[in-house]
């Protein structure tokens, strides 16, 4: 069963997203909303990872190298500066969060096929938060984009 | 005569539940001016808090010489607070006023003509619009202009320039009130009425030191508390405020933990079944998420997080859950703290859970801080679209475009309006290069002042400041425009409970000062802003044209003014909107039918996620189909972002005193108020003071990660571990800069804001305190308010601080004290705050029967003013706007003097003897 591959993907993607939120929080301290919210959202990702743990323990997480190539996305290792840099960093977070989001959806599909109530319970406690993370990133980027792209120095 | 510095709330006129609040007319005239000397009385309403007390301005020889409350007004029934009595007119008629425009030349501000100043502004503005576009322009305005002025400014920003960068200092004080109402009910609009104080049997004040911020409203509460059927009172506040002292339950929680407490209260309601299932089923959505969010918050969990007693949490919930009619009020303690919108929405949720809305005594007052904050929000000077329109709704944008005859693309509606802190961030980064600041003083009122000063001083930012005085902010401007103040111009404004008042021009402004409206209209004209037909965008000739334009804009929206006119507002009481064909006399309270403005085509917002501020968006909102139901919105509790640690071990919170308003530009120019609270201080608990070896009056240095202040310490009744500083004290009267002696509370505050309302967090930061010098006497903090000294220094002398520690260990400082058994000194003995003869004001007790809706506002079609002057209500004191009434008033006045004496004695009987009238409904009070 290949669900383990996707559980591994989800686990890793949440970890990467958490680390990236923290990197952005750290790098954009002069934007207090971004700074504090990214910390809060990083913590949510940590919680998701914890919630996923019993499921991973049950199905395993493929570390055998049997998973396809280029399975995982790179996180944000350092932030960019300036208004466009902020926009681009949020943009990267959006891509990472999208990966998490759609992976929850696909894992949920498998959970339904397996009639695994425990797994479905975990999904329902986490995927809503991921959806809100995406919405926040979109809200914040839409706010920042006109200023960054038209008048920022 | 009553010393209204020592007697902040004046003489009690107790009344019973369901009765009408008795009239008490308060009056203050300048030294040597007798009532007979007054040339005329001009109708207005006070602009020194959000209460909106109707008043008449005394004019003699072309100058303002005093003030009197209007007996027939539904808001104040004749009363005025100390700020209104002493600063409304003295705060404007002062030799420090700006009398000429100024421009910066070679680093110095120099006087110039209006033409020179305006041309400098316009040439900069035009050049920037050409080179950089509309997003280079930002406007930061006030909570103290009039409707006509806000609406003109909103049109300049949205229809002239097309910038989303416009906000008011209302962002700092009451943005959360609007946000909470929008999230819960679908639109801004105060559900409740002040008369709910008259009709409730329980009141909850959440972070609302009403006794100091709205003193006349508090008089109304005090009169209920002194009446035969005292309502229960619950206070949520870390300080021992006057409200707390009279409360049945005082929850003195840790700053930053409001939401945890609210979750606990909601949970108690749910678990004890103190809810109205039928109401919830018919009129609300989202109960399940609310239930699961609050479930972890047992009273014990709340006790641990908030530092309050679990039993008190249960008792407060029991009072809420079992009283018949509950009124809740909310202010800065919630709005300026962590998770502001989520906490304030929980107050709404508690009322929704029990269906306590829309009936006498059942209501919510999401308060405002400033007199015209409501209008800033309505008119869109806070960036929102005028008339509570929804920027995400293309139909609403189209409506405005049609009304203004401009292209809808001009109106910035692609993203949320830019909030104040973000506008300053853009200025900091150099993308906002033109910043026009009107009637506000960010150099003292914004968080993290060292940063704000740097931004204002930036070469690249062209700063226009329009104000009455050369404020700390004006000193940093490139162009300073002298504005006319209250009493020097005509316009309308709206108080907390939607009551619209007219403020007529009483005197000429000094020198060349011009009204804010004239300044905005002049700018628009010079810029050539026009409609699609090429006509001038703003062709108003004066304020009444502006009001008529605003009426059109508001028509059909929740804040409908279409049935109000200047003529209707002259003479009688203010009118609560909406006022239109359907409601010709206005509306007292909302949501009697349980129908809320959440319909997707009508609502002001599609809402936000309360944890992050993510927008819900039109699709998701429409799919949810709220259609007239209110929404239970909530979020999980998160601890505040800056918590005490080893280096900064104390929690810091900021606030207000009864005697000052904002950055003191008006109030400190009143002798009486200035003397009562002349200089900055910081409040420490007895326990913390003891540990820090600080005694009353000692000079301390309070430091945060942002900056420091050095002020005398008041050892007071604040919650241990918490430090309080009043935010009023900047530098305009202390050399203009903080150099060497910083006192402004916002030197220390953090740059952070609520994710939904974008209101900055002024009430939570971590600080350290050290003593730097012995005191030269007690701290300059009033003794009549929450800043009163701890029991020890109030009465004792000569014992050591170990006693102070024992007092603190015993918990709550004693109330019902007796000077003989408290003998502890924490330093200098503190004399009581009094005003002396200078602060004596007249009170006329019950000169007429109380005004009542709708009679008080119904104009007599033939003789609107005469009806009020001579009718059965006998409210002669309310009518002084017209000429030729003075002799009538004289006659009334002499009759009243006798009544006053009789009533005073009667009041003494009632307050001394209790229940003399057997607790009856009390409509037949003397």
């Amino acid at each position: 069963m290949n669900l383990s591959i996707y559980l591994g993907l989800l686990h890793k993607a949440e970890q990467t997203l958490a680390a990236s939120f923290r990197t952005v929080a750290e790098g954009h301290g002069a934007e207090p909303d971004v700074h504090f919210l990214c910390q809060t959202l990083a913590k949510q990702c940590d919680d998701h990872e914890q919630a996923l743990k019993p499921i991973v323990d049950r199905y395993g997480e493929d570390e055998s190298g049997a998973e396809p190539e280029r399975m995982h996305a790179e996180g944000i290792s350092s932030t960019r500066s300036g208004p466009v840099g902020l926009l681009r960093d949020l943009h990267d977070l959006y891509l990472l969060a999208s990966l998490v989001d759609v992976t929850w959806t696909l894992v949920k599909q498998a959970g339904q096929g397996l009639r695994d109530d425990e797994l479905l319970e975990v999904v329902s406690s986490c995927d809503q938060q991921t959806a809100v993370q995406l919405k926040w990133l979109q809200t914040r980027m839409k706010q920042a984009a006109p200023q960054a792209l038209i008048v920022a120095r | 005569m009553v010393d209204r510095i020592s007697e902040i709330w004046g003489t009690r006129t107790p009344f019973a539940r369901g009765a009408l609040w008795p009239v008490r007319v308060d009056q203050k005239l300048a030294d040597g001016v007798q009532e007979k000397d007054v040339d005329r009385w001009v109708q207005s309403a006070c602009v020194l808090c959000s209460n909106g007390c109707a008043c008449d301005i005394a004019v003699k020889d072309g100058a303002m010489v005093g003030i009197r409350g209007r007996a027939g007004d539904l808001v104040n029934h004749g009363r005025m607070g100390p700020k209104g009595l002493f600063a409304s007119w003295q705060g404007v008629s002062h030799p420090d006023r700006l009398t000429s425009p100024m421009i910066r030349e070679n680093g110095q501000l120099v006087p110039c003509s209006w033409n020179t100043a305006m041309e400098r502004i316009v040439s900069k503005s035009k050049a920037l619009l050409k080179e950089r576009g509309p997003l280079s322009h930002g406007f930061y305005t006030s909570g103290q202009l009039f409707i006509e002025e806000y609406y003109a400014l909103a049109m300049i920003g949205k229809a002239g320039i097309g910038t989303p960068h416009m906000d008011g200092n209302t962002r700092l004080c009451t943005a959360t009130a609007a946000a909470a109402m929008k999230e819960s009910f679908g639109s801004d609009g105060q559900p409740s009425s002040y008369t709910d104080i008259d009709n409730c049997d329980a009141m909850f004040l959440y972070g609302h030191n009403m006794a100091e911020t709205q003193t006349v409203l508090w008089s109304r509460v005090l009169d209920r508390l002194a009446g035969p059927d005292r309502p229960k009172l619950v206070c949520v506040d870390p300080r021992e405020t006057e409200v707390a002292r009279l409360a049945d339950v005082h929850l003195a929680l840790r700053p930053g933990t409001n939401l945890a407490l609210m979750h606990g209260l909601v949970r108690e309601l749910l678990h004890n079944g103190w809810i109205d299932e039928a109401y919830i089923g018919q009129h609300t959505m989202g109960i399940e998420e609310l239930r699961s969010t609050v479930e972890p918050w047992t009273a014990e969990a709340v006790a641990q997080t908030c530092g309050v007693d679990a039993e008190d949490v249960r008792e407060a919930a029991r009072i809420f859950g079992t009283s018949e009619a509950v009124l809740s009020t909310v202010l800065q303690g919630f709005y300026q703290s962590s998770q502001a919108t989520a906490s304030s929405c929980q107050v709404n949720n508690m009322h929704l859970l029990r269906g306590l809305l829309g009936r006498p005594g059942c209501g919510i007052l999401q308060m405002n801080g400033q007199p015209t904050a409501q209008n800033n929000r309505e008119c869109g000077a806070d960036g929102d679209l005028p008339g509570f329109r929804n920027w995400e709704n293309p139909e609403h944008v189209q409506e405005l475009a049609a009304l203004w005859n401009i292209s809808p693309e001009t109106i910035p509606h692609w993203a949320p309006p830019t909030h104040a802190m973000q506008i300053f961030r853009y200025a900091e980064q150099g993308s906002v290069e033109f910043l026009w600041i009107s009637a506000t003083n960010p150099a003292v009122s914004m968080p993290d002042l060292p940063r704000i000063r740097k931004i204002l001083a930036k070469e690249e930012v062209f700063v226009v400041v329009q104000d009455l005085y050369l404020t700390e902010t004006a000193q940093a401007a490139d162009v300073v425009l002298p504005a006319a103040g209250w009493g020097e111009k005509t316009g309308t404004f709206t108080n907390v409970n939607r009551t619209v008042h007219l403020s007529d021009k009483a005197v000429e402004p000094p020198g060349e000062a011009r009204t804010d409206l004239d300044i905005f209209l002049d700018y628009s004209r010079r810029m050539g802003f026009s409609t699609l037909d090429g006509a001038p965008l703003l062709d108003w000739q004066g304020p009444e044209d502006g009001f008529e334009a605003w009426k059109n804009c508001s028509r059909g929206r929740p804040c409908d003014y279409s049935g109000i006119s200047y003529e209707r507002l002259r003479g009688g009481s203010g009118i609560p909107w909406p006022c239109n064909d359907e409601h010709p006399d206005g509306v007292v309270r909302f949501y009697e039918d349980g129908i809320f403005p959440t319909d997707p085509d009508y609502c002001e917002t599609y809402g936000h996620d309360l944890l992050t501020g993510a927008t819900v968006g039109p699709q998701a909102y429409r799919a949810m189909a709220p259609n007239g139901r209110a929404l239970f919105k909530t979020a999980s509790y998160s601890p505040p972002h800056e918590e005490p640690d080893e280096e900064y071990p104390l929690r810091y919170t900021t606030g207000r005193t009864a005697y000052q308003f904002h950055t003191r530009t008006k109030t400190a120019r009143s002798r009486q108020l200035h003397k009562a609270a002349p200089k900055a201080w910081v409040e420490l608990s007895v326990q913390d003071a003891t540990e820090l070896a600080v005694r009353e009056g000692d000079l301390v240095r309070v430091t945060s990660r942002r900056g420091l202040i050095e002020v005398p310490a008041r050892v007071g009744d604040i919650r241990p571990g918490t430090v309080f500083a009043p935010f009023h004290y900047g530098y305009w009267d202390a050399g203009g800069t903080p150099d060497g002696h910083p006192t402004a509370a916002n030197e220390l505050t953090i740059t952070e804001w609520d994710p939904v309302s974008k209101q900055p967090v002024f009430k939570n930061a971590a600080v350290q305190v050290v003593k730097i010098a012995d005191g030269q006497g007690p701290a300059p903090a009033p003794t009549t308010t929450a800043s009163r000294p701890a029991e020890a220094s109030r009465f004792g002398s000569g014992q050591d601080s170990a006693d102070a520690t024992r007092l603190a260990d015993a918990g709550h400082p004693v109330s019902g004290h007796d000077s003989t058994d408290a003998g502890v000194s924490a330093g200098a003995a503190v004399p009581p705050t009094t005003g002396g003869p200078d602060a004596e004001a007249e009170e006329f007790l019950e000169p007429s029967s109380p005004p009542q809706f709708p009679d008080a506002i119904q104009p007599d079609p033939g003789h609107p003013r005469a009806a009020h002057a001579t009718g059965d209500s006998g409210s002669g004191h309310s009518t002084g706007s017209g000429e030729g009434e003075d002799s009538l008033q004289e006659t009334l006045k002499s009759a009243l003097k006798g009544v006053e004496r009789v009533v005073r004695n009667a009041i003494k009987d009632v307050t001394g003897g209790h229940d003399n009238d057997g607790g009856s409904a009390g409509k037949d009070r003397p």
Side-chain angles (χ1 to χ4, degrees):
Chain A
M1 188 162 60
N2 292 323
L3 175 59
S4 59
I5 297 176
Y6 256 61
L7 287 174
L9 171 62
L10 185 54
H11 186 204
K12 187 85 201 310
E14 286 279 13
Q15 261 181 0
T16 304
L17 182 57
S20 299
F21 271 130
R22 291 202 165 91
T23 305
V24 172
E26 205 53 42
H28 292 285
E31 314 292 340
D33 56 342
V34 171
H35 176 73
F36 289 120
L37 264 171
C38 284
Q39 288 174 349
T40 304
L41 300 182
K43 177 94 185 16
Q44 278 186 355
C45 299
D46 296 344
D47 293 344
H48 295 177
E49 217 190 307
Q50 278 301 312
L52 201 56
K53 199 158 181 304
I55 310 294
V56 169
D57 287 347
R58 202 140 48 74
Y59 290 100
E61 186 175 7
D62 200 310
E63 290 164 6
S64 66
E67 65 189 36
E69 287 171 49
R70 289 174 278 109
M71 193 69 192
H72 301 290
E74 290 284 320
I76 301 174
S77 54
S78 66
T79 53
R80 306 162 176 99
S81 61
V84 179
L86 171 70
L87 190 62
R88 189 65 187 84
D89 285 340
L90 294 173
H91 202 153
D92 271 349
L93 284 174
Y94 188 83
L95 297 175
L96 292 169
S98 300
L99 176 68
V100 171
D101 185 58
V102 73
T103 311
W104 279 115
T105 304
L106 303 181
V107 167
K108 181 180 176 183
Q109 293 299 98
Q112 279 169 333
L114 289 164
R115 299 175 199 168
D116 184 335
D117 289 341
E118 192 192 359
L119 172 52
L120 292 174
E121 178 69 32
V122 170
V123 174
S124 77
S125 74
C126 299
D127 70 344
Q128 282 304 311
Q129 287 189 332
T130 305
V132 172
Q133 291 177 2
L134 281 171
K135 279 197 164 161
W136 173 69
L137 286 163
Q138 197 172 51
T139 302
R140 188 65 178 82
M141 285 190 292
K142 281 175 76 173
Q143 179 206 316
Q147 201 72 8
L149 301 182
I150 301 172
V151 282
R153 301 250 181 209
Chain B
M1 300 280 260
V2 176
D3 177 345
R4 291 298 302 281
I5 291 297
S6 56
E7 303 296 323
I8 296 172
W9 307 286
T11 302
R12 295 280 57 73
T13 54
F15 70 119
R17 184 176 178 194
L20 298 174
W21 189 31
V23 169
R24 186 192 85 197
V25 173
D26 297 343
Q27 175 175 303
K28 177 68 184 174
L29 293 174
D31 285 350
V33 175
Q34 304 292 312
E35 199 170 326
K36 63 178 164 44
D37 305 329
V38 174
D39 296 337
R40 49 201 183 96
W41 294 87
V42 178
Q43 181 176 348
S44 181
C46 181
V47 289
L48 286 167
C49 83
S50 59
N51 203 51
C53 295
C55 58
D56 291 310
I57 305 168
V59 180
K60 178 178 158 45
D61 301 331
M64 293 192 273
V65 292
I67 193 161
R68 176 170 74 197
R70 289 173 64 84
D73 196 89
L74 290 163
V75 170
N76 53 324
H77 296 214
R79 287 164 190 75
M80 300 297 294
K83 288 192 284 271
L85 286 170
F86 301 125
S88 53
W89 48 288
Q90 293 189 100
V92 176
S93 312
H94 194 279
D96 287 354
R97 283 287 297 279
L98 291 167
T99 55
S100 163
M102 291 190 280
I103 51 172
R104 192 167 293 279
E105 295 286 5
N106 304 318
Q108 298 295 315
L109 282 172
V110 296
C112 67
S113 71
W114 271 101
N115 191 54
T116 306
M118 292 306 291
E119 280 308 311
R120 181 160 297 193
I121 294 169
V122 166
S123 61
K124 181 74 184 176
S125 191
K126 281 183 173 166
L128 269 176
L129 286 179
K130 189 154 173 260
E131 285 166 36
R132 315 281 302 160
L135 299 180
S136 60
H137 279 51
F139 293 83
Y140 183 54
T141 186
S142 180
Q144 302 181 47
L145 299 183
F146 291 155
I147 288 177
E148 298 78 2
E149 296 165 336
Y150 289 132
Y151 187 47
L153 184 60
M155 284 181 68
I156 286 171
K158 292 172 219 310
I161 297 171
T163 175
H165 307 328
M166 180 179 288
D167 203 355
N169 63 13
T170 49
R171 187 66 60 186
L172 314 185
C173 70
T174 51
T176 304
M181 291 188 279
K182 288 187 209 176
E183 296 297 331
S184 297
F185 310 133
S187 173
D188 196 344
Q190 196 67 260
S192 197
S193 160
Y194 289 167
T195 58
D196 290 327
I197 293 172
D198 313 352
N199 293 295
C200 68
D201 63 347
M203 282 191 70
F204 278 63
L205 272 65
Y206 295 101
H208 183 193
N209 184 4
M210 188 197 284
E212 299 193 52
T213 52
Q214 285 86 13
T215 58
V216 171
L217 199 60
W218 181 243
S219 297
R220 196 168 188 148
V221 174
L222 285 176
D223 287 344
R224 271 300 312 280
L225 293 175
D229 46 8
R230 183 189 194 280
K232 294 270 194 221
L233 182 64
V234 175
C235 171
V236 177
D237 198 312
R239 295 168 79 210
E240 182 82 358
T241 60
E242 288 298 310
V243 180
R245 284 182 3 135
L246 295 175
D248 297 272
V249 179
H250 175 204
L251 295 159
L253 78 182
R254 282 190 191 106
T257 65
N258 294 329
L259 186 57
L261 172 68
M262 295 312 298
H263 283 353
L265 292 176
V266 169
R267 185 181 182 278
E268 288 294 311
L269 296 186
L270 291 168
H271 275 249
N272 288 289
W274 291 322
I275 57 173
D276 182 339
E277 298 277 6
Y279 188 93
I280 294 169
Q282 278 174 22
H283 300 299
T284 70
M285 296 186 73
I287 183 74
E288 286 317 317
E289 196 198 333
L290 180 70
R291 220 182 262 282
S292 61
T293 307
V294 303
E295 190 48 34
W297 291 98
T298 61
E300 283 69 26
V302 171
Q304 189 164 13
T305 297
C306 304
V308 295
D309 199 41
E311 207 39 57
D312 287 343
V313 176
R314 278 190 279 266
E315 176 60 11
R318 194 191 61 75
I319 292 172
F320 193 96
T322 60
S323 295
E324 200 175 65
V326 185
L327 173 65
S328 294
T329 73
V330 195
L331 197 58
Q332 315 302 15
F334 272 39
Y335 298 165
Q336 295 184 337
S337 193
S338 311
Q339 298 191 284
T341 304
S343 305
S344 304
C345 281
Q346 279 292 39
V347 176
N348 298 343
N349 292 342
M350 286 180 68
H351 283 262
L352 291 170
L353 283 170
R354 286 202 59 208
L356 295 181
L357 268 177
R359 300 197 304 278
C362 300
I364 303 164
L365 291 168
Q366 296 279 0
M367 296 295 295
N368 303 337
Q370 294 182 81
T372 75
Q374 186 63 48
N375 308 115
N376 176 302
R377 281 151 37 191
E378 292 160 10
C379 297
D382 63 347
D384 282 349
L385 295 186
F388 297 158
R389 286 180 174 81
N390 184 350
W391 61 269
E392 287 187 283
N393 184 336
E395 294 295 320
H396 287 192
V397 176
Q398 184 56 51
E399 267 175 34
L400 281 178
L403 180 74
W404 293 336
N405 190 22
I406 60 161
S407 158
E409 283 76 44
T410 309
I411 301 173
H413 63 278
W414 51 80
T418 315
H419 59 97
M421 300 299 293
Q422 190 67 49
I423 294 175
F424 275 75
R425 175 66 177 147
Y426 289 152
E428 185 175 34
Q429 291 180 315
S431 61
V432 162
E433 296 175 69
F434 178 95
L435 184 59
W436 188 326
I437 299 169
S438 45
T440 186
N441 191 10
V444 179
S445 56
M446 277 200 155
D448 191 358
L449 291 182
R451 171 173 173 264
I452 297 297
R453 280 190 293 267
K454 269 184 222 152
I455 296 171
L456 291 171
K458 271 173 71 93
E459 279 286 312
E460 309 79 51
V461 185
F462 183 82
V463 178
V464 179
V465 174
Q466 172 177 329
D467 214 314
L468 306 187
Y469 293 102
L470 194 66
T471 60
E472 293 86 339
T473 305
Q475 290 170 29
D478 295 282
V479 179
V480 177
L481 302 176
W486 175 89
E488 298 166 351
K489 59 182 185 177
T490 294
T492 49
F493 63 97
T494 307
N495 77 341
V496 170
N497 76 343
R498 294 175 276 101
T499 305
V500 186
H501 285 121
L502 176 73
S503 181
D504 260 323
K505 178 175 171 175
V507 298
E508 291 299 324
E512 293 178 54
R514 287 186 184 171
T515 71
D516 297 279
L517 180 63
D518 283 343
I519 297 170
F520 292 144
L521 294 178
D522 187 27
Y523 172 70
S524 179
R525 223 172 3 249
R526 287 172 190 264
M527 291 295 290
F529 296 136
S530 60
T531 66
L532 285 175
D533 301 334
L537 179 69
L538 281 159
D539 58 355
W540 312 345
Q541 298 306 305
E544 194 158 5
D545 288 353
F547 189 75
E548 291 299 315
W550 167 242
K551 281 164 65 175
N552 263 334
C553 180
S554 70
R555 195 186 305 274
R557 294 301 299 161
C559 52
D560 193 335
Y561 283 70
S562 58
I564 305 179
S565 65
Y566 274 22
E567 187 53 36
R568 282 197 74 185
L569 291 172
R570 284 201 177 100
S573 172
I575 302 174
W577 62 247
C579 177
N580 48 23
D581 292 345
E582 193 187 343
H583 305 287
D585 297 318
V587 173
V588 172
R589 62 178 67 76
F590 284 4
Y591 310 138
E592 287 168 30
D593 52 4
I595 307 295
F596 297 88
T598 49
D599 184 282
D601 296 327
Y602 186 69
C603 65
E604 188 183 2
T605 179
Y606 298 131
H608 301 81
D609 172 64
L610 298 195
L611 182 73
T612 60
T615 55
V616 170
Q619 257 184 322
Y621 188 83
R622 284 181 187 276
M624 192 166 71
N627 304 341
R629 286 175 291 175
L631 304 168
F632 284 116
K633 299 284 289 253
T634 194
S636 313
Y637 170 75
S638 309
H641 291 129
E642 188 171 270
E643 295 240 67
D645 54 21
E646 257 180 41
E647 194 180 359
Y648 300 101
L650 297 166
R651 282 176 201 266
Y652 179 70
T653 182
T654 68
R656 286 140 192 86
T657 179
Y659 301 109
Q660 299 287 4
F661 189 60
H662 278 212
T663 62
R664 299 175 300 128
T665 43
K666 288 179 180 172
T667 46
R669 289 179 168 98
S670 142
R671 291 191 304 270
Q672 296 89 345
L673 298 173
H674 177 70
K675 184 168 158 265
K679 285 191 156 76
W681 70 90
V682 65
E683 291 167 31
L684 300 174
S685 71
V686 174
Q687 186 178 316
D688 294 323
T690 305
E691 280 170 19
L692 295 161
V694 171
R695 296 164 24 122
E696 170 66 35
D698 284 352
L699 194 63
V700 297
R701 179 180 298 134
V702 187
T703 312
S704 79
R705 290 181 176 83
R706 273 72 55 190
L708 61 88
I709 55 175
E710 294 177 352
V711 291
R714 161 59 41 90
V715 180
D717 291 334
I718 194 168
R719 194 200 142 81
T722 302
V723 178
F724 171 90
F727 89 112
H728 312 290
Y729 297 93
Y731 311 103
W732 58 261
D733 52 350
T737 69
D739 297 344
H741 196 61
T743 56
N746 283 319
E747 303 289 350
L748 311 184
T749 43
I750 189 170
T751 303
E752 192 197 347
W753 53 81
D754 179 72
V756 181
S757 69
K758 320 293 188 202
Q759 185 158 348
V761 178
F762 290 105
K763 291 193 184 283
N764 186 67
V767 296
Q768 52 164 271
V769 177
V770 292
K771 176 178 164 175
I772 54 175
D774 283 339
Q776 306 291 313
T783 64
T784 42
T785 62
S787 62
R788 88 188 76 71
E791 199 73 15
S793 27
R794 246 176 292 162
F795 296 103
S797 62
Q799 295 195 21
D800 65 20
S801 57
D803 284 356
T805 312
R806 276 209 304 280
L807 247 189
D809 287 344
H812 197 60
V814 199
S815 60
H817 46 66
D818 168 357
S819 61
T820 56
D821 63 2
V824 184
S825 170
V830 183
T833 299
T834 58
D838 202 22
E840 286 187 345
E842 284 191 276
E843 281 184 346
F844 305 98
L845 294 171
E846 305 196 52
S848 53
S849 48
Q852 200 170 359
F853 182 87
D855 301 349
I857 57 164
Q858 262 167 1
D860 181 306
H863 305 281
R865 294 180 205 174
H868 282 276
T870 60
D872 292 340
S873 70
S875 53
H877 278 290
S878 72
T879 58
S881 73
E883 289 174 33
E885 290 171 3
D886 296 356
S887 63
L888 172 64
Q889 289 187 357
E890 275 309 307
T891 314
L892 273 168
K893 184 63 72 63
S894 62
L896 299 178
K897 298 265 181 186
V899 174
E900 181 192 352
R901 185 174 41 81
V902 175
V903 172
R904 254 186 206 280
N905 292 337
I907 299 287
K908 273 183 198 147
D909 287 344
V910 172
T911 49
H914 292 300
D915 290 349
N916 282 352
D917 49 2
S920 67
K923 285 203 176 179
D924 53 353
R925 284 194 38 73

